[in-house]
């Protein structure tokens, strides 16, 4: 009994001793949380540049959409009288049979991808410390993103009119925004181009990068859409005054579009690609403007006969607009009008790849099949000079300044000066015609027709010439809002063309 | 009896008190972002001397927060200051975490803390398309890269979410997740053709550079292409170009013509050459009737594999052939495929323009048969008049598993997964089984990672911003058996 008691006492005693010991040999650590995560881990100039590269990338959409593969050209010039589309895939666009409301839905998605990337770039680059920038300034990179956003909205408004104006990056699956009045969108586009014109450097040897000149030019084009002639002239003059651009006169007009000349200083802004391989960084442009029998092109498209017949004798641009063409597989020369009902427009053909695949015939056509480093011109100097002539005429009549500008373009193609003493109306018509021939398939005709108030009359004439049974109205100025957008976004309103 | 229970209770209480007191302690826990990497979270932890520490962290996968997925960081052992890093987190996610510290059999878990990851990193060229992979889910990860400047290596999880990335100012032409849990890449500063580069880089899983080997430095004359991996000893093995100057006047060339052929180079981590091999040791270029047209990239090796016995397998695209090379002597053991292979093959086993060869655990040869008819054995490459489009119009890329009978010298197909024509890749690419019912196919030419079932039916695809040379399936990024 006594022993048990002693044992028990010892046990308590031992536990007590243990606890005392444990308490005394404590290490002095106290748990405590410090620090926090930074909002964004982007901090270097190369990340900022990568963001901007991602925006540029969007303009080629993997090589198959937006500016690549002739997609944008098909819904700009393609719906007008300078670009005829006989491909089954695009036949409905050509014949104004727009019952498929998703006829331009891929473009809508591609362009908004660019807008979103530009918005992300602007937001994130603004958050980077100034000291991180060495080769470019922070403002310059933001200006580049804003320029590209401006161009994306310029294209969106041209196609659809009022569009949702998003200036913040998409952060969640929030319900879509309603459409913004096109005039408010234009205000934003102008603000973006103005910022770009202030902060961007000059041309720096490549038209593939946004620049001061490109910003002036696209700002002028945005103002012309709103018929702000004086403001537009001011910006066109600033562009010309930079002295960085001139017409390509080193060789014939066709060679301006050769792969070796993508950096020529006639190009103010182009969407360029590296043409790394068939699937990487190639714009596939060369496959979508010419028929197979000429150069393995995939497109039965070209210049309508009516415009071709308006060309003056001796116009060297007929080097590009080809009626009699050498057949791909050799043999006799063939006639494009007999074969296709149009003239081949070879601004963007396989044989223009004089760098990667020089020559003609099948061997050149199959070498690096479908790969091209050819540029997609967005703005070139001839376009600027013709706009100068047009604006000057609108403001002051056909002055010497107006004549000089149009004649510079005409003389380049071996034509004599425009007839002297034209009336304002006749001069206006002459410029419009010159632009049609000079810029066919480059995507400017729709704006030209609308700006001059002849969209309906000219296109009804075209419809009659082509024998399509449709009457063109103002409703054809805007493409249908994609059905997908209307279904997903309760705030989205349709265009008149949604009811065709 | 009551007294006895009281004593027992006291003993228990004091035991847990004792173990709590004896368990290693936790001091300051410091959480911070990693410069230039939104998906690496650094957590430094102060503990009792000689402890092991890791982080357990979890995200809820339903709104009610009743269901979660738990992960563990790599472990830091036997230290008092632990620099831990989370290398498997997703964007735009809220996480909770504890620090777990253990010493011998005693463990302590910290309070629960939380952090959120950044919403989006649009400067990193991987954009997950939720809709395109909504029907694909698997255990494990994929590793691939982005072939652009700057270059990125990616690891995505079984839902296509980015789990980790590694950036380099140059362009990753080739990348590989190695059996030692490191990442190897061949780098180049151009965006030109093919997978040629002048630098090999190795990172650990945290993104630290372990090794850089450059052409023109440390007595390394070769440039690297198409393949880089670690062998069983941890040495770097890669494909290289060898240039041979020889007299080709007998076939219409010059007396000092240069032929660019392939070789194997094995280097240790001191950058010393351990073993090398050249195609010129095996075959004479003059035996090739087309040598004048093919001399600039003679046989075009594009994959290298070393088996358990130490022998090499090398894939030559231009001749649609796989060679087995003795790993010690460099002698040719056999040639499989092409026009002069040593094996009889069934028609279905014939491959053309193949990539990504390996020997699986059953000793079968597994490869991506690109199905590019330009390299089909017997195809006359001079017939330029055929439309390229038409030539490969019906071509399909396939994942081939071939059994090799070296007694009868016969090869036959054991398993074929034919991918849809839409995703045909005339060059590059890879394909492998993720599990019995899921195959991953890298269609380089269409910028897609494609998932199919065994029948080749598409289950989903991941669109890529820039192409990748291959896609590699990883069961895990690191073992977490210390936490289980």
């Amino acid at each position: 009994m006594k022993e048990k008691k002693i044992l028990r006492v010892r046990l308590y005693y031992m536990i007590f001793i243990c606890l005392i010991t444990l308490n005394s040999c404590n290490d002095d650590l106290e748990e405590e949380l410090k620090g926090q995560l930074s909002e964004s881990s982007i901090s270097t100039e190369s990340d900022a540049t990568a963001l901007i590269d991602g925006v540029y990338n969007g303009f080629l959409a993997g090589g198959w959409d937006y500016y690549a593969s002739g997609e944008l050209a098909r819904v700009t010039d393609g719906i007008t009288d300078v670009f005829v589309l006989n491909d089954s895939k695009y036949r409905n666009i050509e014949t104004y049979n727009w019952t498929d409301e998703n006829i331009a839905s891929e473009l809508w998605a591609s362009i908004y991808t660019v807008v979103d990337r530009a918005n992300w770039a602007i937001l994130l680059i603004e958050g980077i410390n100034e000291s991180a920038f060495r080769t470019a300034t922070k403002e310059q990179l933001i200006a580049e993103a804003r320029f590209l956003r401006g161009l994306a909205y310029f294209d969106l408004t041209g196609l659809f009119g009022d569009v949702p104006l998003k200036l913040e990056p998409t952060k969640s699956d929030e319900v879509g925004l309603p459409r913004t009045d096109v005039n408010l969108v234009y205000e934003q586009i102008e603000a973006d181009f103005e910022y770009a014109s202030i902060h961007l450097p000059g041309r720096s040897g490549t038209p593939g990068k946004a620049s001061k000149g490109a910003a002036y030019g696209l700002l002028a084009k945005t103002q012309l859409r709103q018929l702000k002639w004086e403001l537009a002239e001011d910006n066109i003059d600033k562009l010309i005054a930079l002295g960085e651009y001139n017409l390509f006169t080193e060789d014939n007009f066709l060679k301006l579009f050769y792969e070796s000349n993508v950096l020529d200083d006639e190009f103010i802004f182009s969407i360029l690609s590296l043409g790394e391989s068939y699937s990487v960084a190639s714009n596939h442009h060369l496959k979508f403007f010419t028929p197979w029998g000429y150069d393995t092109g995939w497109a039965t498209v070209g210049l309508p006969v009516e415009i071709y017949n308006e060309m003056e004798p001796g116009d060297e641009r007929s080097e590009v607009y080809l009626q009699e063409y050498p057949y791909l597989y050799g043999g006799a020369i063939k006639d494009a009008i007999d074969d296709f009902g149009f003239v081949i427009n070879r601004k963007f053909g396989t044989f223009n790849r004089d760098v990667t695949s020089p020559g003609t015939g099948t061997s050149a056509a199959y070498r690096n099949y479908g790969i091209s480093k050819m540029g997609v011109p967005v703005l070139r100097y001839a376009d600027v000079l013709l706009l100068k002539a047009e604006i000057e005429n609108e403001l002051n009549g056909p002055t010497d300044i107006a004549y000089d500008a149009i004649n510079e373009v005409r003389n380049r193609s071996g034509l004599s000066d425009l007839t002297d003493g034209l009336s304002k109306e006749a001069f206006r018509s002459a410029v419009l015609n010159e632009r049609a021939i000079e810029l066919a398939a480059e995507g400017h005709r729709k704006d030209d027709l609308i700006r001059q108030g002849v969209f309906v009359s000219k296109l009804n004439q075209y419809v009659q010439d082509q024998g399509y049974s449709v009457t063109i109205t103002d409703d054809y100025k805007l493409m249908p809002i994609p059905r997908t957008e209307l279904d997903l976004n309760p705030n989205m309103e349709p265009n008149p063309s949604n009811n065709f | 009896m009551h007294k006895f229970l009281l004593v027992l209770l006291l003993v228990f209480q004091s035991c847990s008190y004792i173990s709590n007191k004896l368990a290693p302690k936790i001091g300051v826990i410091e959480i911070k972002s990693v410069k230039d990497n939104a998906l690496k979270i650094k957590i430094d932890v102060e503990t009792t001397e000689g402890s092991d520490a890791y982080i357990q962290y979890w995200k809820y996968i339903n709104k009610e927060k009743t269901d979660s997925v738990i992960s563990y960081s790599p472990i830091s052992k036997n230290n008092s200051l632990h620099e831990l890093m989370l290398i498997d987190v997703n964007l735009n996610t809220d996480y909770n975490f504890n620090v777990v510290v253990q010493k011998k059999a005693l463990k302590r878990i910290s309070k629960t803390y939380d952090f959120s990851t950044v919403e989006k990193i649009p400067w990193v060229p991987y954009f997950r398309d939720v809709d395109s992979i909504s029907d694909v889910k698997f255990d494990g990860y994929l590793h691939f890269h982005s072939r652009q400047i700057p270059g990125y290596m990616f690891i995505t999880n079984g839902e296509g979410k980015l789990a980790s990335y590694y950036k380099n100012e140059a362009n990753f032409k080739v990348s590989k997740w190695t059996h030692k849990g490191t990442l190897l890449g061949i780098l180049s500063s151009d965006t030109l053709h093919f997978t040629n580069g002048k630098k090999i880089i190795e990172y650990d899983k945290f993104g630290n550079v372990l090794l850089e080997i450059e052409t023109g430095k440390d007595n390394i004359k070769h440039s690297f292409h198409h393949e880089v991996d670690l062998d069983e000893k941890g040495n770097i093995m890669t494909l290289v170009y060898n240039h041979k100057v020889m007299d080709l006047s007998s076939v219409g060339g010059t007396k000092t013509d240069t032929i660019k052929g392939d070789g194997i180079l094995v280097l240790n981590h001191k950058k010393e050459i351990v073993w090398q091999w050249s195609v010129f040791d095996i075959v004479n270029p003059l035996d090739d009737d087309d040598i004048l047209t093919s001399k600039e990239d003679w046989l075009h090796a594009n994959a290298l594999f070393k088996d358990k016995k130490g022998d090499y397998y090398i894939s030559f695209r231009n001749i649609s052939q796989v060679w087995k090379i003795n790993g010690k002597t460099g002698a040719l053991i056999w040639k499989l495929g092409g026009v002069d292979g040593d094996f009889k093959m069934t028609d279905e086993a014939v491959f053309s323009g193949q990539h990504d060869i390996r020997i699986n655990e059953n000793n079968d040869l597994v490869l991506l048969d690109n199905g590019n008819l330009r390299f089909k054995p017997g195809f006359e490459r001079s017939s330029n008049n055929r439309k390229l489009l038409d030539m490969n119009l019906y071509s399909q890329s396939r994942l081939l598993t071939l059994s090799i009978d070296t007694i009868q010298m016969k090869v036959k197909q054991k398993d074929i997964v034919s991918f849809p024509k839409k995703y045909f890749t005339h060059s590059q690419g890879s394909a492998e089984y993720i599990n019995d019912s899921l195959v991953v196919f890298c269609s380089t030419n269409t910028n897609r990672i494609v998932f199919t079932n065994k029948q080749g039916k598409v289950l989903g695809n991941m669109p890529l911003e820039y192409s990748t040379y291959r896609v590699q399936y990883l069961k895990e990024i690191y073992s977490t058996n210390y936490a289980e």
Side-chain angles (χ1 to χ4, degrees), chain B residues 296-341:
Chain B
E296 282 170 25
D297 183 14
W298 184 25
L299 301 178
H300 191 100
N302 63 17
L304 177 70
F305 182 84
K306 193 177 185 186
D307 69 13
K308 289 193 174 74
K309 289 183 181 153
D311 294 326
Y312 293 98
Y313 299 76
I314 183 166
S315 158
F316 292 106
R317 184 201 64 182
N318 288 4
I319 49 174
S320 294
Q321 209 162 63
V322 176
W323 294 5
K324 185 175 182 180
I325 307 288
N326 184 305
K328 288 194 176 59
T329 65
L332 178 68
I333 298 171
W334 49 244
K335 294 193 281 193
L336 188 157
V339 288
D340 62 344

Side-chain angles (χ1 to χ4, degrees), chain A residues 8 11-12 15 18-20 22-23 25-55 57-58 62 64 113 116-117 120-121 123-124 169-172 274-281 287 292 296 298 328-329 356 362-371 373, chain B residues 3 6-7 10-11 14 17-19 21-22 24-39 41-42 46-49 92 97 108-123 127 147-150 152 165 167 169 171 173 191-194 384-389 426 428 444-447 465-467:
Chain A
R8 207 174 305 147
L11 192 64
Y12 288 137
I15 289 169
C18 260
L19 291 180
I20 292 287
L22 276 174
N23 262 330
C25 61
N26 217 339
D27 50 27
D28 300 332
L29 292 175
E30 280 296 326
E31 190 182 314
E32 179 195 357
L33 183 72
K34 277 187 182 172
Q36 57 182 28
L37 300 180
S38 53
E39 270 295 295
S40 155
S41 72
I42 179 170
S43 63
T44 66
E45 189 181 334
S46 74
D47 283 336
T49 309
L51 273 167
I52 300 290
D53 287 347
V55 190
N57 256 356
W64 300 101
T113 299
D116 202 47
R117 287 184 185 186
W120 272 110
L123 178 87
L124 289 163
T170 308
K171 294 192 175 186
S172 66
L274 294 165
E276 188 184 333
S277 72
Y278 180 77
S279 59
V280 178
K287 302 308 286 178
W292 182 272
T296 70
W298 295 338
L328 174 68
Y329 302 108
T356 47
T362 48
S363 64
Y366 291 133
R367 215 178 299 131
N368 301 336
Y369 186 85
I371 302 167
K373 293 185 190 187
Chain B
K3 283 182 180 170
L6 186 74
V7 169
L10 255 174
V11 169
S14 54
Y17 180 73
I18 289 166
S19 71
K21 282 289 179 188
L22 284 177
K25 297 195 84 177
I26 299 170
V28 172
I29 302 163
E30 189 171 9
I31 182 164
K32 45 193 162 183
S33 297
V34 172
K35 191 174 179 293
D36 281 344
N37 204 315
L39 284 181
I41 311 286
K42 199 163 183 291
E46 199 181 7
T47 66
T48 304
E49 190 69 45
N92 201 17
F97 75 96
R108 183 186 300 277
I109 297 177
S110 75
K111 293 177 203 148
T112 298
Y113 304 101
D114 59 65
F115 66 87
S116 298
T117 51
V118 294
E119 276 164 12
K120 202 167 175 177
I121 43 172
W123 61 94
F127 299 90
R147 207 156 48 183
Q148 185 50 287
I149 292 176
Y152 282 88
Y165 66 88
K167 176 187 159 186
E169 293 301 333
N171 169 2
K173 296 279 186 139
T191 50
L192 298 173
H193 278 303
F194 308 135
N384 232 344
N385 297 343
R386 297 180 52 178
K387 292 179 187 177
L388 260 195
L389 251 196
H426 65 264
Q428 307 170 76
T444 302
N445 293 166
T446 62
N447 281 15
E465 191 75 358
Y466 299 108
S467 67

Side-chain angles (χ1 to χ4, degrees), chain A residues 449-473:
Chain A
L449 296 175
I450 294 173
R451 184 173 65 247
Q452 291 299 353
V454 292
F455 180 87
V456 170
S457 59
K458 284 273 184 190
L459 293 190
N460 275 317
Q461 182 60 54
Y462 176 67
V463 159
Q464 206 179 324
D465 294 340
Q466 297 290 325
Y468 307 149
S469 51
V470 61
T471 304
I472 302 302
T473 61

